[in-house]
Amino acid sequence: MASYEGRGLHGQIVERIGVRIVGGDYPPGVPLFSEHLEGEFDVSKTVVREALKVLAAKGLVQSRQRRGTVVLPRESWNLLDGDILRWQGRLPPDFGFLERLAEVRAMVEPPAARFAAQRRTSQDLDTMRAALDDMAAALQDPDIMVDADLRFHRALLDAAHNEVLSRMEVILATGLQIRDRFVHHSEQGADPMPAHRALYTAILDKDADKAGLMVEALLGQAARDLAEAREHAERPKTPPARDTSRDTATPATHEADGHHAEEDRTFHPVSSPRPR
């Protein structure tokens, strides 16, 4: 059973059922029978009941009279729930969702940057600078790059010293992680460092207007990166060109080719692609 740190056995069942619902393995309207789940996961009725309560609070399932617990459609889900966002990150990218996330960021982050420029402390600057340094050192390591980018944006929200904005970090950071892991792991996208450095400098200089403009520029670049990644992912794959050189081969060559083709039926593993 997959690890679900700090949440116990019922949390592990929440994880497994939640991933299946978000991934479409349990489509809307499907009943979830407690006895079946108990048998599949080898857990007690109490564990399943508690797990379904958690999923109901997230809007994923609902208990209905005479039908038991059924899976709800996506429009009922709490899309801002951290677990639901994280589970979506395991799936192939939903570009429509990522574009809606970008709209939310555009509403929140430019004003947050203006407040940060006015209210930042030396500790805020140190945290942002450390995240920037880690981003620069990790340009060839997408996983570390994503983590450092998230720390930078968390620090930006915290530097506004508004507790409501700081709570937005849970929403933005989890969703941002989905987007970043796709863009930074692909070959698409521009170097993110110049825009982040310019934003940091504006906050350092307490230039609120410039900080807001720098965030808008950063978000604009992020939107372009996402559009390029979407175009690349949705581009039809071109089939390999047919090798016509064999069509003019002599009978002796065909005979030899037939011999080699018979030999080549054995599977030969190829080397793994290099990490990107």
Side-chain angles (χ1 to χ4, degrees), residues 20-250:
R20 292 182 185 184
I21 293 173
V22 172
D25 295 327
Y26 294 156
V30 166
L32 300 180
F33 297 107
S34 179
E35 57 271 22
H36 292 171
L37 297 172
E38 293 163 27
E40 179 181 357
F41 300 131
D42 191 24
V43 294
S44 69
K45 185 183 297 291
T46 300
V47 169
V48 170
R49 183 172 62 246
E50 291 303 312
L52 292 177
K53 284 182 180 178
V54 173
L55 294 169
K58 298 176 184 296
L60 295 177
V61 301
Q62 184 181 60
S63 179
R64 294 181 179 173
Q65 208 168 29
R66 298 183 180 178
R67 292 195 62 194
T69 301
V70 297
V71 177
L72 294 177
R74 182 182 175 90
E75 54 264 27
S76 298
W77 300 355
N78 178 4
L79 294 175
L80 303 183
D81 179 87
D83 285 332
I84 293 178
L85 286 167
R86 181 169 54 82
W87 295 333
Q88 287 186 100
R90 297 184 176 187
L91 305 173
D94 179 343
F95 286 102
F97 175 76
L98 294 176
E99 288 164 357
R100 291 188 288 276
L101 170 67
E103 291 178 353
V104 175
R105 292 185 65 194
M107 297 175 197
V108 173
E109 290 197 61
R114 294 185 182 97
F115 285 127
Q118 296 167 343
R119 302 171 179 174
R120 93 292 185 278
T121 65
S122 58
Q123 183 177 356
D124 294 326
L125 292 173
D126 289 345
T127 303
M128 295 178 71
R129 183 72 225 182
L132 270 182
D133 291 343
D134 289 344
M135 286 177 67
L139 286 175
Q140 303 305 315
D141 191 323
D143 289 323
I144 297 177
M145 179 71 169
V146 168
D147 290 339
D149 190 23
L150 290 174
R151 283 192 284 114
F152 181 86
H153 287 276
R154 287 190 186 106
L156 173 65
L157 292 179
D158 287 342
H161 293 277
N162 179 308
E163 62 183 6
V164 177
L165 275 176
S166 292
R167 296 301 178 271
M168 293 293 291
E169 174 269 333
V170 176
I171 300 168
L172 295 182
T174 309
L176 183 63
Q177 191 169 22
I178 301 171
R179 176 255 173 205
D180 273 1
R181 289 199 183 281
F182 182 70
V183 171
H184 289 319
H185 278 80
S186 75
E187 293 180 345
Q188 314 303 313
D191 180 1
M193 293 309 302
H196 283 78
R197 288 194 182 102
L199 172 56
Y200 171 81
T201 299
I203 293 174
L204 174 67
D205 294 341
K206 295 190 173 184
D207 189 335
D209 290 337
K210 187 174 181 180
L213 291 174
M214 290 301 98
V215 168
E216 290 171 359
L218 189 154
L219 295 178
Q221 183 60 60
R224 289 189 291 275
D225 290 345
L226 184 60
E228 289 178 13
R230 181 172 193 166
E231 181 183 2
H232 183 266
E234 296 176 350
R235 186 180 303 152
K237 300 294 186 290
T238 304
R242 179 171 173 263
D243 183 2
T244 59
S245 62
R246 304 167 78 89
D247 295 345
T248 57
T250 63

